[in-house]
Amino acid sequence: MKNILKIFALSLLFISAFSCKKDSDKNEKETVTKKPVAENYNISILLDLSDRISLEKNPNPTMEYYQRDLGYIKSVSEAFTQHLKSKRIRQIDDKMQLFFNPEPKDPEINSISQKLKIAIDKNNASKDLLNSINSNYSARSSKIYESALKDNNFIGSDIWSFFDTKVKDQCIETGDRNILVILTDGYMYYDSTIMKEANRTTFITPDFIRKNGLNTKDWEKKFQNGDFGFIRAGDDLSNLEVLVLGINPAKSNPYEEKVIKAYWTKWFSEMKVKHFEIKNADLPSNMEKIIRDFIVQNH
């Protein structure tokens, strides 16, 4: 009798183990065959064509700031192309565009920028088109900077107003992964957009930082207690990711970089930006991986 019970128990154990293995194989098979939904990228690049790129006012013997910008744009373009090539043709429905605010008066610059607004889907995607994106973006963006430097009449950059009136309409598509790359030194100032509400402003300059005592070791305490920061330019940007490149603080204040980043961080956080990073004006070779990781791997 004991032998019979032992055989019965072993049989049950074998059946149970076989059943579990079958279920495990089934689950594993389902996991392997189920593919993630391919994301559509909507990438926007906002250029700050103010005198920060001036060869006379802000020269840099290591690498001029406009050349750094061009390196960053090249890395963004390459990351976008890498994303496209990872998708099946029928899945492609992606965009990349370039903005200024305000628009330069030079009609040639505006014409070039229009050619840098590209939309690729299953109807026009081809190997030749994908392979031409990087070279076209590099050549055309280079012409924009050449024209701006030649003109030498820097009209400034109204980043605050861009967020206030254009970001939602021009940089955010429902269902897409929306990424905005801003090339700027971190300062904001535009003559036609000067507003102040207590210690909140639409601008930040080295002079403003100094006059408000944000250039001492106690800057953070004053920043928080005085509620310094940018005036909010939107309430819900939760479907937007922002990468700021090119922060270039004045060397006269050792706390300048921290103050600038505190302003931008507070602004993005209050506007509920989904994810953001703020990076200094490093050499493009040092920024390439950071840009690629933000665009391609940051999900």
Side-chain angles (χ1 to χ4, degrees), residues 182-197:
I182 306 175
L183 306 186
T184 180
D185 57 7
Y187 295 108
M188 277 197 212
Y189 189 88
Y190 189 69
D191 286 334
S192 301
T193 314
I194 303 298
M195 289 184 275
K196 195 172 188 297
E197 298 172 6

Side-chain angles (χ1 to χ4, degrees), residues 243-258:
L243 176 60
V244 180
L245 302 171
I247 300 298
N248 187 26
K251 304 298 185 286
S252 55
N253 172 18
Y255 307 102
E256 196 98 350
E257 178 185 335
K258 292 181 179 179

Side-chain angles (χ1 to χ4, degrees), residues 208-219 222 228:
F208 176 84
I209 291 172
R210 180 180 54 79
K211 285 182 177 178
N212 285 278
L214 296 172
N215 58 344
T216 68
K217 64 178 182 178
D218 298 321
W219 73 267
K222 185 161 189 175
F228 282 85

Side-chain angles (χ1 to χ4, degrees), residues 87-281:
K87 301 171 74 174
R88 294 189 176 95
I89 292 291
R90 60 183 173 81
Q91 295 177 322
I92 293 177
D93 188 9
D94 302 80
K95 304 175 192 70
M96 184 163 63
Q97 51 199 345
L98 187 141
F99 294 105
F100 319 95
N101 197 48
E103 292 182 353
K105 294 177 181 178
D106 185 342
E108 183 185 0
I109 291 182
N110 288 314
S111 174
I112 295 169
S113 68
Q114 288 302 314
K115 292 174 183 175
L116 291 174
K117 293 181 180 180
I118 57 176
I120 302 177
D121 59 28
K122 62 183 180 181
N123 297 314
N124 66 352
S126 67
K127 187 176 181 181
D128 288 343
L129 177 59
L130 297 188
N131 288 335
S132 69
I133 291 174
N134 293 335
S135 58
N136 284 341
Y137 238 81
S138 291
R140 286 171 177 161
S141 54
S142 181
K143 285 184 179 179
I144 288 174
Y145 281 89
E146 286 171 12
S147 181
L149 290 166
K150 184 179 178 182
D151 184 46
N152 203 32
N153 182 26
F154 303 101
I155 57 174
S157 181
D158 193 356
I159 296 173
W160 189 91
S161 181
F162 185 82
F163 270 84
D164 187 44
T165 62
K166 297 182 179 180
V167 161
K168 277 198 171 181
D169 291 336
Q170 299 185 20
C171 302
I172 297 178
E173 294 282 350
T174 303
D176 287 0
R177 182 166 176 235
N178 300 294
I179 301 170
L180 173 60
V181 180
I182 306 175
L183 306 186
T184 180
D185 57 7
Y187 295 108
M188 277 197 212
Y189 189 88
Y190 189 69
D191 286 334
S192 301
T193 314
I194 303 298
M195 289 184 275
K196 195 172 188 297
E197 298 172 6
N199 287 327
R200 295 296 189 106
T201 60
T202 56
F203 59 89
I204 180 176
T205 64
D207 190 51
F208 176 84
I209 291 172
R210 180 180 54 79
K211 285 182 177 178
N212 285 278
L214 296 172
N215 58 344
T216 68
K217 64 178 182 178
D218 298 321
W219 73 267
E220 192 170 10
K221 184 178 179 181
K222 185 161 189 175
F223 178 81
Q224 291 173 350
N225 293 342
D227 190 32
F228 282 85
F230 293 125
I231 296 170
R232 198 177 303 176
D235 295 318
D236 184 10
L237 296 178
S238 56
N239 197 20
L240 181 69
E241 300 174 52
V242 182
L243 176 60
V244 180
L245 302 171
I247 300 298
N248 187 26
K251 304 298 185 286
S252 55
N253 172 18
Y255 307 102
E256 196 98 350
E257 178 185 335
K258 292 181 179 179
V259 173
I260 291 172
K261 289 184 177 179
Y263 262 77
W264 285 81
T265 297
K266 189 173 184 177
W267 198 42
F268 288 152
S269 299
E270 289 182 342
M271 294 190 294
K272 299 183 178 66
V273 171
K274 181 179 181 179
H275 174 75
F276 61 88
E277 292 181 20
I278 304 162
K279 302 295 182 181
N280 286 12

